[in-house]
Structure formats: structure tokens, C-alpha cells
Amino acid sequence: MSRVEKLRIRMQEQGLDAMLITSPYNLRYMSHFTGTTGLAVITLEKAFFVTDFRYTEQVAKQAIGYEIIQNKGPIYDEVVNTVRSNGIEALGFEEDFVTFSTFEALEDMMPCDLVPVSGMMEALRLIKEPAEIATIKKACSISDAAYEHILGVVKPGMTEIEVANELDFYMRKLGATGVSFETIVASGVRSAMPHGVASSKVIEQGDFVTIDFGCYYDGYVSDMTRTFAIGEPDPKLKEIYQIVLDAQLKVIDAAKPGVTGAQLDAIARDYIASHGYGEAFGHSTGHGIGLEIHESPGISSKSDYTLVPGNVITDEPGIYLPGIGGVRIEDDLVITETGNEIICTPTKELIVL
């Protein structure tokens, strides 16, 4: 069953005649369009793609099965025409993506009811197809190689920004189209900042260095975190490293179909708390990845989603001690029929450079 056919089933369940797709991620998922200007209107019988002159040829090659409409004026004028010509009475729109000002404009223009919809396509994206998993694995292989490369480059006297730039450029050399997010390089006491993006701080002997990074490959992301030491680290840092690693491995052992995101989160959180560092682990244990760096399912105390084969999630517990430093270790996992597959390959044993 195609993605459009799966969407139509959900549209019927919600009483929609058509769905307006404007989120670039959902647009790519439903049509394979990789450009930057366009939208789709999917009815129960047809699929329309509206774009301007710059992208009509590209849409014809990528959005197979869509009827192409070229807008020469405002793009939503063509949506109005499509609604009228197809007798659409209830048009769904992505309430989590459409701005209020756009909604007001649509409400004035559309000769039909506008129905806010949340999570309809994201629910389809939860379960990755084999081709999607293969692409994510390729993205992970690039970030894996970049990590191995950076271990041979980083040294005292380099700044965090220099390390981040080397990582980013190396991933592009290997075929990445961009980074998944702004690369985090946090050294010394800055490693106690969970999202300490690379700064001008100089890496020093004795520092713990946490790097959290990933890349885009063919539209899909990787996401990996490793922490290593430059010279012999503080014994306290070595202690929390082992606790984080043990917690991370416990999540891997438990991640399988039938387990909820909240249950996985509790495994890491309870283990870290049992060693006295519960207050030092303030973020969720993981999240889904795919077309976006953060997508469902969540691996957090609030997630009652039950994992199924095809989910791709991160496993990234951490401990952060202000004034001392911190540790986070992260892998990407594919949930399989019998458990999970780890798709980040670099060692997680503490490396001292």
C-alpha cells in the first residue's frame, strides 16, 4: 500500500475530503519532492502538487502519480481552485505547521470547512520502510567514520569550533548534504552543558570532551554522541562515565517491540538515580529520528507509545555535574522483530587520548 493510500484511510477516519500538506518534511514523505517551494492537496481520489515554474520539471520526476498545477500567482489561489473543482467540503490542514496568519488568510479564501489535523502523517512516518532504514544506516556510517577521523585530529590547543568544523567538513566529504543540527562540542566544565554547541574554548589536557553530531544523507539523519578524555581525567568523571555507559547498555538490552518509551526511559533514569545522580540527568533518554532530527516516538517519562518493528530511536542517557563536567553516550537503534539493531558502530568504552 502506498503512502498516499495509507493517508487516505486516515482521512476517511477523520471525515476529510482532502488534506492540504505544507510541511516540507511531510511533503517530502508523501511525494518525494526535495525542492523548497510547493504544496500538495490529496483528495480521496486524486493527488495534486502545486508549485511554480522553477520546480515543475523536478516535481514531474519526483512526485509520481501527482497532477501538477503551476501557480503563476499566489500559490493558495490554486488551492482554492482545486477545492472548488473537486467539490471539497472538508479540507484538513497541518495545525502544528500552519501559522496563525496563514490560517486566517486561508479561512477567508477557502470555500470549504478547514479542519485542523495533528500528527496524521507523522503517525505514518513512525514506522520506517526498509529503504528509509537503509538510508539512515548510510547516514550513520558517515558519522561513524567522522568520529573515527576526529579522534586522530583532536588535541590540546584546538578550539571546540575547530573540532566541530573538522567533523562537519569531513562528513560532507563522505557524501553528507549537511549536518543534522548544529554540532555540539563541549569540553572540560562545558561538558556539563547538555547542548553546549561548539565555542571558542580551547581544549585542555585532562578535559572530558562530549561531541553530539550527525548528518543528513538523502534527506534522512544520523545522531550520535560520544564522550572521550584528553589525557587522564578526574576520577569523578570516570565514575559517571561508567554509570552512563551501563545505563545506556541497559536500554539497549530492553529495547524491543512491546516496550513503551516511558519504560525505556525509566530503565536509564532509575539506574542513574540508584547511583545518586538522578538530579543530574534532566533530559529524556531518547527520541525518534528520520526526516527530522527529533520526531516520534519519544523515549521519555511521558511517552506511552509502544515500540514496534521499524521504529528508529536514539538511546542517550547522560550525567551533568556543573563545575566538573559531564557525560552523554548515544546510539541510534532500529527496533526489529526480536529486539533492536545498533546502527552506530564506534566503541563506547572510555577513550583517553
Side-chain angles (χ1 to χ4, degrees):
M1 185 181 297
S2 72
R3 295 172 181 176
V4 169
E5 289 169 333
K6 291 177 181 178
L7 178 62
R8 283 174 175 148
I9 292 173
R10 293 177 180 267
M11 288 164 51
Q12 288 177 310
E13 291 171 349
Q14 296 198 27
L16 299 175
D17 299 318
M19 186 69 203
L20 172 64
I21 304 173
T22 50
S23 157
Y25 298 108
N26 289 334
L27 195 62
R28 177 166 185 156
Y29 183 76
M30 296 306 304
S31 70
H32 302 285
F33 176 65
T34 60
T36 57
T37 301
L39 56 79
V41 178
I42 296 178
T43 74
L44 298 177
E45 294 83 26
K46 298 179 180 180
F48 303 93
F49 198 105
V50 186
T51 191
D52 61 37
F53 171 80
R54 297 170 297 168
Y55 291 106
T56 52
E57 185 176 353
Q58 181 177 339
V59 171
K61 293 178 179 178
Q62 294 180 326
I64 306 301
Y66 282 73
E67 180 178 324
I68 302 170
I69 301 172
Q70 182 180 331
N71 66 292
K72 296 181 180 179
I75 193 167
Y76 286 112
D77 286 353
E78 297 300 336
V79 178
V80 171
N81 294 336
T82 301
V83 167
R84 285 188 174 131
S85 61
N86 287 272
I88 294 168
E89 296 181 356
L91 176 66
F93 70 93
E94 299 161 294
E95 65 172 320
D96 298 322
F97 182 77
V98 173
T99 65
F100 184 68
S101 60
T102 299
F103 168 73
E104 285 189 311
L106 290 174
E107 197 172 36
D108 288 340
M109 297 170 64
M110 292 299 162
C112 66
D113 292 332
L114 289 174
V115 182
V117 174
S118 178
M120 183 182 289
M121 278 156 288
E122 289 80 0
L124 298 178
R125 287 166 48 191
L126 269 169
I127 302 173
K128 271 59 180 180
E129 300 163 0
E132 292 180 282
I133 292 172
T135 304
I136 295 171
K137 286 182 177 180
K138 176 61 178 178
C140 287
S141 73
I142 291 173
S143 50
D144 289 350
Y147 178 67
E148 299 294 349
H149 169 74
I150 207 66
L151 290 176
V153 172
V154 65
K155 59 185 178 181
M158 291 183 71
T159 65
E160 295 171 349
I161 289 174
E162 288 174 328
V163 174
N165 287 342
E166 182 66 26
L167 272 170
D168 296 353
F169 296 150
Y170 194 79
M171 288 190 291
R172 285 185 178 274
K173 283 180 63 176
L174 296 181
T177 55
V179 295
S180 305
F181 50 90
E182 188 172 357
T183 296
I184 292 169
V185 179
S187 62
V189 294
R190 290 192 76 250
S191 61
M193 301 168 62
H195 277 190
V197 296
S199 74
S200 58
K201 178 191 174 299
V202 174
I203 295 171
E204 302 175 37
Q205 195 75 15
D207 278 356
F208 252 21
V209 182
T210 294
I211 58 173
D212 186 350
F213 67 105
C215 70
Y216 264 100
Y217 179 81
D218 197 17
Y220 287 81
V221 304
S222 61
D223 187 6
M224 181 174 70
T225 306
R226 292 293 187 267
T227 301
F228 56 89
I230 304 293
E232 190 61 27
D234 186 306
K236 175 64 72 173
L237 293 173
K238 294 176 72 173
E239 174 196 344
I240 64 171
Y241 188 98
Q242 191 61 49
I243 294 169
V244 171
L245 177 57
D246 290 343
Q248 206 257 359
L249 293 173
K250 286 180 180 296
V251 171
I252 291 173
D253 288 342
K256 61 183 179 181
V259 176
T260 68
Q263 288 171 326
L264 281 187
D265 182 80
I267 287 169
R269 197 165 305 283
D270 292 350
Y271 183 80
I272 289 173
S274 73
H275 286 77
Y277 293 104
E279 294 299 315
F281 177 26
H283 56 74
S284 64
T285 298
H287 54 85
I289 62 170
L291 290 168
E292 297 180 80
I293 190 59
H294 290 99
E295 58 184 53
S296 296
I299 308 301
S300 73
S301 60
K302 299 178 181 178
S303 176
D304 58 1
Y305 177 82
T306 300
L307 296 176
V308 297
N311 293 149
V312 183
I313 62 172
T314 69
D315 168 16
E316 50 180 305
I319 294 175
Y320 311 94
L321 305 178
I324 299 175
V327 174
R328 182 166 66 257
I329 303 170
E330 175 186 21
D331 286 325
D332 300 335
L333 312 177
V334 178
I335 303 302
T336 65
E337 295 287 345
T338 57
N340 69 78
E341 178 186 0
I342 307 169
I343 55 175
C344 296
T345 61
T347 182
K348 290 176 287 192
E349 294 302 318
L350 178 60
I351 292 174
V352 179
L353 298 176

